[in-house]
Amino acid sequence: MAEAKPRILIIEDDPDIAALEKDYLEIHNYEVVIEPDGRQGAERAVKESFALILLDVMLPGKDGMALCREIRAKTDIPILMVTARVEDSDKILGLGLGADDYITKPFSIAELVARVKSHIARYARLTKAQGVAGDELDFGNIRINLASRKVFVDETEVLLTRKEFELLCFLASNRDIVFSKEQIYDRIWGEDLHGDISTVTVHIKRLREKIEKNPGDPAHIQTVWGTGYKFTAKAAR
């Protein structure tokens, strides 16, 4: 029996762009579904099985940023945002809402296909590596269940995006080891050669807001000035 092709959902209201993306992804052995309506696309994203979502930022009705937040709250599959906006603030907002990456129009088809492959492969490796039931990291008031991909602070579950979860697991699994922004970026986003290292700072900030009692004076995810970041297991202040 032939192995099933990875399914990709394209949420894009421009039929020419959607058709172009679909044609080239199908050439590279992906099954592609196009949904021009943002709301219907968000519904399909969580009801059906997809390996990755290509989400346009500028959609009629509900924009891609809002849809990204809705989709990420219900599934952790990779979301690649497609945008004509070039401002860093827009890109950072999308990453903060749970997008894994962004690609700016006009883009090369080769770059699009490379990013799709990269994120699907990374997600598959992460899922496989964290598939051992009952595997946990416990730091007193913070508990990370690798199998269920859930994080608890003082026994209350906190919701993390997929990249936030990966970042927390990486730092917590290497506690008291200092990593530079470059090292962290290479570990979490390393296969995307076109990304922005400021992504690390954004995700560290959002992660602190979710797991630290005092994000301005963090007890766990600490800044080592001039070097990078480290995770420490000492009691929260």
Side-chain angles (χ1 to χ4, degrees):
M1 181 180 296
E3 184 177 351
K5 298 179 181 180
R7 297 182 77 222
I8 295 175
L9 173 62
I10 296 176
I11 305 178
E12 168 65 72
D13 66 313
D14 187 317
D16 293 332
I17 293 177
L20 182 65
E21 294 171 342
K22 181 177 187 290
D23 288 345
Y24 277 90
L25 288 169
E26 287 181 339
I27 289 173
H28 287 82
N29 209 35
Y30 293 103
E31 179 184 342
V32 180
V33 175
I34 296 174
E35 179 52 69
D37 181 87
R39 289 186 176 85
Q40 293 183 21
E43 291 179 5
R44 296 189 70 172
V46 298
K47 289 181 179 179
E48 301 179 32
S49 177
F50 294 101
L52 180 139
I53 299 167
L54 275 175
L55 175 60
D56 186 39
V57 171
M58 302 296 290
L59 290 167
K62 204 163 201 177
D63 71 25
M65 296 292 188
L67 292 173
C68 178
R69 183 193 294 113
E70 290 182 12
I71 294 169
R72 179 55 74 225
K74 298 177 182 178
T75 180
D76 64 353
I77 64 171
I79 299 175
L80 176 56
M81 301 198 78
V82 181
T83 176
R85 299 172 179 173
V86 297
E87 293 82 1
D88 287 342
S89 58
D90 290 319
K91 297 172 183 177
I92 290 172
L93 175 60
L95 293 169
L97 293 174
D100 294 279
D101 200 359
Y102 57 85
I103 187 167
T104 305
K105 300 176 184 175
F107 51 81
S108 75
I109 292 298
E111 180 185 354
L112 174 68
V113 173
R115 293 204 191 193
V116 167
K117 286 183 177 180
S118 171
H119 284 289
I120 290 177
R122 184 178 291 275
Y123 181 70
R125 288 196 303 273
L126 179 69
T127 303
K128 181 178 180 181
Q130 296 176 348
V132 181
D135 208 2
E136 282 195 346
L137 298 173
D138 194 334
F139 302 102
N141 72 312
I142 295 179
R143 181 163 54 88
I144 306 167
N145 189 296
L146 302 178
S148 65
R149 299 176 58 80
K150 293 183 177 180
V151 176
F152 300 87
V153 177
D154 295 326
E155 295 307 315
T156 298
E157 184 180 355
V158 295
L159 299 178
L160 303 183
T161 68
R162 186 166 68 86
K163 287 300 184 185
E164 289 168 353
F165 183 82
E166 289 182 38
L167 177 57
L168 177 60
C169 286
F170 173 61
L171 294 175
S173 298
N174 297 279
R175 63 182 183 178
D176 296 320
I177 298 176
V178 181
F179 294 96
S180 68
K181 290 180 182 179
E182 291 78 9
Q183 288 173 317
I184 294 172
Y185 182 86
D186 183 66
R187 172 61 178 82
I188 307 299
W189 291 271
E191 293 184 13
D192 172 21
L193 301 179
H194 304 278
D196 188 341
I197 200 168
S198 65
T199 296
V200 175
T201 304
V202 173
H203 281 74
I204 288 286
K205 179 178 183 294
R206 292 185 179 275
L207 195 51
R208 282 172 170 165
E209 291 171 349
K210 292 182 178 182
I211 72 167
E212 299 280 5
K213 290 186 176 180
N214 182 1
D217 184 22
H220 295 291
I221 302 177
Q222 299 185 343
T223 299
V224 180
W225 296 107
T227 305
Y229 303 99
K230 70 175 182 178
F231 183 94
T232 180
K234 68 181 182 181
R237 293 189 285 270

